């Protein structure tokens, strides 16, 4: 089963996606997600100009060999563009192999380790009333674990806060705006640190002790600030505190770990197992947050999560709307197969995206399942995709009150 053709499809239903289509000489089609939010065309060019010419005629069954070839032969390794491109090839090859075998992908990964995947939804509000309404909406939708984000007094715009309940949509939430230049937001760490513990106190008083609650700091704190927040949130029993400080300096998490028992989730901006080496070996985190799409595909993520399992660290695979349904399905199949599954982020795609990407995965009673169609269980409608051309979009960025650019 050799690769006969390879094509890169860029489409923008609700938001931009980059999809790789591999077709074999016996007519099977495999799909891979290469979306890199705000830098989509960089990956599309990397695939089209440098990777696709290397794929024609290769044995589609040789997944590991192809992964190593694409990673090592370019000499310039790692980085989000390279790893997203490799991920697209890898996922498409796994899709082809599972279709050739006539079974859903998770069966090739060892079969199901559980019946369903606990998912968490996103709730937010500009004030307490809106936040409570948003949590109730997510509970009504079936979620049994909730990420809580809120506006901060004195800060005009904060990542992760949607429109009021009843007007919410995941498309509205999507932070990459279709504008000519990135949107500037402001930030005040002291105001944030004062406010967030009061928010979780109110949520616990309203919704009780059993509801799993999560919070995304989005890399905005120094290690000592993150340690303080983790300590202040301990009474509210968070499922995790996510990306509390920029973790490129892996040793920075030692300080956080020394001062708080709040579980830590890290890694949605990481690209390889090397980014996690110290964090996992020294047990400085509790959950791995990378996405299959941004971390070299199923082959690489399986190895990363097997490494994490040695230290009782679990998965928390990234699942925002800038991961296409193809990338989402890849994560779900891996989730179902591994032993150390923790939780899965789930943001529903918009109606237009669902018209372009036909999906078999399901969400019911708070649990996701990848479905039992052969392969990934996702197919792209190329005619529908062609109706939605690429549109430039940028993620926002932050400045402090004195004008300093801050971590977003």
């Amino acid at each position: 089963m050799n690769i006969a053709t390879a094509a890169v499809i860029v489409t923008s239903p609700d938001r931009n996606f980059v999809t790789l289509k591999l077709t074999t000489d016996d007519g099977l089609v495999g799909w891979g997600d290469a979306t890199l939010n705000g830098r989509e065309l960089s990956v599309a060019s990397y695939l089209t100009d440098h990777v696709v010419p290397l794929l024609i005629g290769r044995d589609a069954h040789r997944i590991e060999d192809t992964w190593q070839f694409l990673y090592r032969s370019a000499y310039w390794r790692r980085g989000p563009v390279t790893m997203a491109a490799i991920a697209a090839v890898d996922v498409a090859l796994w899709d082809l192999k599972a279709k050739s075998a006539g079974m859903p992908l998770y069966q090739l990964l060892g079969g199901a380790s559980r019946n369903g995947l606990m998912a968490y939804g996103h709730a937010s509000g500009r004030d307490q009333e809106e936040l409570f309404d948003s949590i109730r909406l997510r509970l009504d939708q079936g979620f049994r674990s909730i990420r809580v984000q809120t506006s901060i007094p004195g800060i005009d715009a904060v990542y992760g806060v949607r429109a009021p309940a009843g007007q919410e949509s995941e498309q509205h939430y999507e932070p990459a705006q279709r504008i000519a230049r990135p949107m500037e937001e402001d930030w005040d760490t002291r105001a944030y640190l004062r406010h967030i513990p009061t928010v979780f106190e109110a949520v616990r008083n309203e919704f009780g002790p059993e509801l799993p609650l999560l919070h995304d700091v989005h890399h905005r704190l120094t290690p000592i600030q993150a340690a303080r927040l983790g300590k202040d949130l301990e009474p509210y029993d968070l499922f995790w505190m996510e990306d509390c400080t920029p973790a490129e300096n892996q040793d920075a998490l030692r300080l956080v770990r020394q001062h708080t028992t709040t579980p830590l989730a890290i890694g949605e901006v990481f690209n390889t197992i090397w980014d996690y080496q110290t964090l996992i070996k020294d047990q400085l985190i509790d959950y791995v947050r990378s996405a299959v799409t941004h971390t070299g595909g199923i082959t690489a993520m399986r190895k990363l999560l097997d490494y994490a399992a040695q230290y009782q660290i679990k998965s928390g695979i990234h699942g925002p709307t800038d991961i296409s349904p193809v990338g989402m399905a890849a994560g779900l199949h891996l989730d179902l197969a591994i032993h150390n599954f923790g939780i899965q982020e789930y943001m529903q795609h918009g109606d237009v995206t669902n018209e372009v990407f036909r999906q078999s995965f399901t969400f019911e009673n708070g649990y996701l399942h990848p479905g039992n169609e052969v392969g990934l269980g996702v197919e792209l409608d190329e005619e529908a995709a062609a109706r939605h051309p690429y549109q430039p979009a940028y993620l926002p960025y932050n400045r402090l009150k004195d004008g300093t650019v801050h971590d977003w």
Side-chain angles (χ1 to χ4, degrees):
M1 185 173 72
N2 295 328
I3 300 170
T5 64
V8 179
I9 299 167
V10 181
T11 184
S12 189
D14 302 317
R15 53 102 51 239
N16 293 316
F17 297 109
V18 180
T19 307
L20 177 66
K21 177 186 180 182
L22 298 183
T23 306
T24 65
D25 51 11
D26 51 0
L28 289 179
V29 173
W31 302 101
D33 180 23
T35 306
L36 187 63
N37 197 353
R39 294 295 184 268
E40 297 89 353
L41 296 185
S42 298
V43 189
S45 174
Y46 190 102
L47 282 168
T48 300
D49 298 331
H50 304 293
V51 175
V52 163
L54 305 177
L55 298 177
I56 308 306
R58 290 187 67 87
D59 184 349
H61 282 303
R62 297 184 64 171
I63 298 176
E64 177 71 23
D65 180 67
T66 299
W67 195 98
Q68 298 294 344
F69 169 67
L70 293 177
Y71 182 79
R72 297 178 188 280
S73 68
Y75 186 72
W76 307 108
R77 302 178 186 178
R78 304 166 66 181
V81 173
T82 295
M83 299 311 291
I86 292 175
V89 176
D90 185 78
V91 169
L93 291 178
W94 277 108
D95 191 21
L96 286 170
K97 185 178 282 287
K99 286 174 177 174
S100 177
M103 60 180 61
L105 175 55
Y106 71 83
Q107 295 288 12
L108 289 187
L109 300 176
S113 289
R114 57 198 48 82
N115 297 324
L117 308 167
M118 183 172 69
Y120 72 87
H122 293 195
S124 66
R126 294 172 296 180
D127 54 33
Q128 181 174 295
E129 182 179 359
E130 280 189 8
L131 176 59
F132 286 3
D133 287 345
S134 182
I135 293 172
R136 293 187 185 100
L137 176 63
R138 295 298 175 226
L139 293 174
D140 289 343
Q141 291 172 339
F143 288 99
R144 295 295 175 262
S145 303
I146 307 291
R147 191 189 82 164
V148 173
Q149 307 296 128
T150 180
S151 294
I152 309 299
I155 301 179
D156 292 334
V158 177
Y159 160 80
V161 178
R162 295 187 188 87
Q167 303 174 32
E168 290 182 331
S169 68
E170 303 292 11
Q171 302 98 292
H172 176 90
Y173 168 79
E174 166 57 47
Q177 302 296 313
R178 291 168 170 172
I179 51 181
R181 292 179 180 273
M183 182 180 297
E184 182 177 305
E185 298 181 350
D186 55 344
W187 184 250
D188 184 334
T189 299
R190 286 171 58 83
Y192 170 77
L193 290 173
R194 288 193 303 269
H195 184 63
I196 287 299
T198 69
V199 171
F200 278 91
E201 179 181 25
V203 171
R204 276 287 178 233
N205 288 339
E206 179 70 16
F207 294 95
E210 297 300 323
L211 178 64
L213 300 176
L214 306 88
H215 180 64
D216 186 358
V217 182
H218 225 254
H219 315 104
R220 287 173 169 156
L221 303 180
T222 65
I224 195 64
Q225 291 167 346
R228 169 186 162 182
L229 180 61
K231 189 73 172 176
D232 289 347
L233 291 177
E234 284 179 12
Y236 313 114
D237 188 25
L238 267 63
F239 187 94
W240 76 36
M241 180 172 67
E242 176 184 347
D243 288 335
C244 60
T245 190
E248 291 92 338
N249 176 9
Q250 297 185 29
D251 281 335
L253 272 294
R254 296 187 195 281
L255 180 62
V256 184
R257 198 59 136 180
Q258 289 168 0
H259 289 281
T260 181
T261 59
T262 296
L264 303 176
I266 291 286
E268 69 180 59
V269 299
F270 287 172
N271 309 124
T272 71
I273 196 169
W274 302 105
D275 298 312
Y276 286 96
Q277 188 176 33
T278 298
L279 298 178
I280 290 175
K281 176 176 61 71
D282 294 350
Q283 302 176 68
L284 302 180
I285 61 172
D286 302 281
Y287 296 91
V288 168
R289 280 288 289 143
S290 288
V292 170
T293 298
H294 300 143
T295 318
I298 291 169
T299 296
M301 276 296 292
R302 181 63 184 263
K303 293 175 182 178
L304 169 58
L305 292 172
D306 284 346
Y307 174 42
Q310 297 179 59
Y311 300 93
Q312 301 184 66
I313 296 170
K314 296 185 177 183
S315 71
I317 290 178
H318 195 36
T321 50
D322 60 324
I323 303 296
S324 85
V326 172
M328 185 70 183
L332 298 185
H333 282 278
L334 185 58
D335 282 338
L336 199 65
I338 60 173
H339 178 259
N340 57 324
F341 170 75
I343 198 168
Q344 175 62 54
E345 180 178 21
Y346 181 42
M347 296 181 67
Q348 296 99 326
H349 287 99
D351 293 339
V352 183
T353 296
N354 293 335
E355 291 173 3
V356 172
F357 296 89
R358 183 187 63 78
Q359 307 149 43
S360 67
F361 60 80
T362 58
F363 176 66
E364 186 176 355
N365 297 323
Y367 290 86
L368 288 158
H369 192 282
N372 287 300
E373 291 190 11
V374 297
L376 286 170
V378 178
E379 300 292 334
L380 184 143
D381 183 330
E382 294 184 67
E383 291 186 4
R387 293 195 291 269
H388 306 283
Y390 169 81
Q391 298 186 44
Y394 288 93
L395 295 165
Y397 71 102
N398 277 340
R399 287 189 187 272
L400 302 179
K401 290 182 178 181
D402 67 359
T404 303
V405 174
H406 191 61
D407 288 304
W408 179 75

